[in-house]
Amino acid sequence: MAITKNSNVSSFFFILMDLPGLEKAHCWTAIPVCSIYVLSVLGNITIMHIVKSVPRLHTPMYLFLSMLSMADLGLSASTLPSMVAVFLLGRRRIGATPCFMQLFCIHTFSVIESAILLAMAFDRCMAIREPLRYATILTTKRIWAIGLAVVTRSVTLHLPLPLLLDRLTFQPVSALSHSYCVHPDVLRLSCSSTLVNSGFGLFVMLSTLGMDAVLILLSYVLILKTVLGIASNAERLKAFNTCISHICAVLLFYTPLVSLSMIHRFGKKKLPVQVYMLLSYLHFLMPPVLNPIVYSVKTKEIRVYILKMLHPRKL
């Protein structure tokens, strides 16, 4: 098959991957996929509505939670078009330009979510270690400045990805490993040298997701040190309980990501492709669905207002 240079991105396209063995069962696979997106949209919009409409929740913790919901909505919207096309419509072909735009959006919102989780870890660290100075350190102005910095960092670092991919050559038809476009998956299909792309991708990953994970871990080391120094068991438990929801959100986001990295580098050839795909779906699809559920169950203020919305006469 001839190799196509990227002077005209309309001259080649990619084939999105369906679930192995379920290619003809679109009527069934579409049900859980659509359910995931509906739950994600409803859950995150509900969180954002509650935080916006209740003045007493205009505190750093809940403002960061609202930002996390925005990032989750963005991540869901990034994967939605191609997954609906594959699982609902049975259309697996995607052009180079929409593919490159999709991977830019997916990685951008993924890094935004990682940075917001870091900001939330910093928020919990300040609330527990510096309770008297907490309100003066994390003012509303500084919180929105942090949000702007998070978005700017992610967009700036990921803007070169589509441009660098446009330099490469591809076969006229290339099969991806997922039902959406991600940078490593597209990169492996290139017929030309990917040294610059791989190096830049590694730099972006280490300077964002890698650094965020280390700083989140450091924050919890400091939190744990402070909590263990509290004399009262009740106060110790109360302080630690404020972190449970955030710990769950961090585990939901990073566990599939770390597993994917380990499998990609050490065990991909030894495991079925379904395992690799499942972890990828868990990383990109589950946090937007489960984060609102976790915070609704574990955060009393959010839970109370959701119950008021569902049963306004009883409460």
Side-chain angles (χ1 to χ4, degrees):
M1 187 177 288
I3 294 175
T4 302
K5 292 188 177 181
N6 291 16
S7 57
N8 183 7
V9 292
S10 64
S11 61
F12 67 97
F13 58 89
F14 299 100
I15 301 297
L16 298 166
M17 177 64 71
D18 208 329
L19 291 175
L22 298 175
E23 291 85 356
K24 297 182 180 180
H26 297 296
C27 59
W28 298 110
T29 55
I31 295 174
V33 169
C34 292
S35 299
I36 286 172
Y37 283 110
V38 169
L39 288 174
S40 173
V41 171
L42 289 178
N44 287 291
I45 287 180
T46 299
I47 295 290
M48 292 166 59
H49 171 72
I50 291 174
V51 173
K52 180 182 178 180
S53 59
V54 181
R56 65 187 295 262
L57 296 184
H58 294 177
T59 61
M61 175 180 172
Y62 294 103
L63 292 177
F64 283 130
L65 176 57
S66 183
M67 291 182 189
L68 183 66
S69 293
M70 293 180 195
D72 282 334
L73 283 175
L75 190 57
S76 292
S78 299
T79 57
L80 176 63
S82 62
M83 293 197 70
V84 167
V86 171
F87 293 111
L88 191 61
L89 305 177
R91 299 175 182 174
R92 297 171 56 191
R93 174 171 168 166
I94 184 171
T97 298
C99 182
F100 293 168
M101 289 301 298
Q102 184 184 44
L103 70 85
F104 166 77
C105 292
I106 288 176
H107 291 295
T108 296
F109 280 109
S110 182
V111 167
I112 287 175
E113 179 152 347
S114 173
I116 293 173
L117 289 173
L118 172 60
M120 297 174 82
F122 176 73
D123 166 69
R124 291 299 85 208
C125 188
M126 288 297 99
I128 292 174
R129 290 178 60 86
E130 301 287 347
L132 298 180
R133 299 174 54 212
Y134 174 63
T136 58
I137 294 174
L138 282 174
T139 61
T140 302
K141 185 177 180 180
R142 286 177 179 170
I143 290 169
W144 291 117
I146 290 173
L148 179 61
V150 164
V151 174
T152 302
R153 180 188 76 156
S154 186
V155 171
T156 302
L157 286 174
H158 287 99
L159 270 177
L161 289 185
L163 301 178
L164 290 172
L165 287 171
D166 196 53
R167 300 169 51 252
L168 304 179
T169 55
F170 294 88
Q171 299 284 356
V173 181
S174 302
L176 297 169
S177 301
H178 305 88
S179 54
Y180 43 78
C181 297
V182 288
H183 186 251
D185 198 18
V186 173
L187 205 58
R188 71 175 180 83
L189 299 175
S190 173
C191 301
S192 53
S193 174
T194 60
L195 183 62
V196 174
N197 301 68
S198 298
F200 182 74
L202 180 62
F203 163 74
V204 171
M205 186 183 71
L206 293 177
S207 62
T208 55
L209 299 175
M211 184 175 68
D212 292 348
V214 171
L215 293 176
I216 289 172
L217 181 61
L218 177 61
S219 297
Y220 273 100
V221 169
L222 296 174
I223 288 172
L224 186 61
K225 181 180 178 182
T226 302
V227 170
L228 293 178
I230 299 175
S232 170
N233 287 332
E235 290 297 320
R236 189 184 304 171
L237 183 62
K238 181 180 178 181
F240 187 72
N241 194 49
T242 63
C243 303
I244 295 296
S245 298
H246 180 256
I247 292 174
C248 291
V250 169
L251 291 176
L252 283 171
F253 182 82
Y254 279 102
T255 301
L257 178 63
V258 172
S259 302
L260 268 174
S261 299
M262 297 295 290
I263 291 175
H264 182 73
R265 285 162 179 76
F266 304 113
K268 189 175 179 181
K269 295 181 179 179
K270 300 178 182 178
L271 293 174
V273 66
Q274 289 88 340
V275 174
Y276 187 72
M277 292 182 66
L278 175 62
L279 288 172
S280 179
Y281 287 137
L282 287 176
H283 173 59
F284 289 115
L285 303 183
M286 286 299 102
V289 177
L290 296 181
N291 282 341
I293 296 175
V294 168
Y295 275 93
S296 299
V297 171
K298 297 299 297 182
T299 308
K300 181 180 177 181
E301 290 80 0
I302 297 293
R303 185 172 66 248
V304 166
Y305 282 101
I306 288 178
L307 291 175
K308 285 183 178 180
M309 291 170 62
L310 295 176
H311 305 286
R313 296 181 181 179
K314 293 182 179 181
L315 294 176

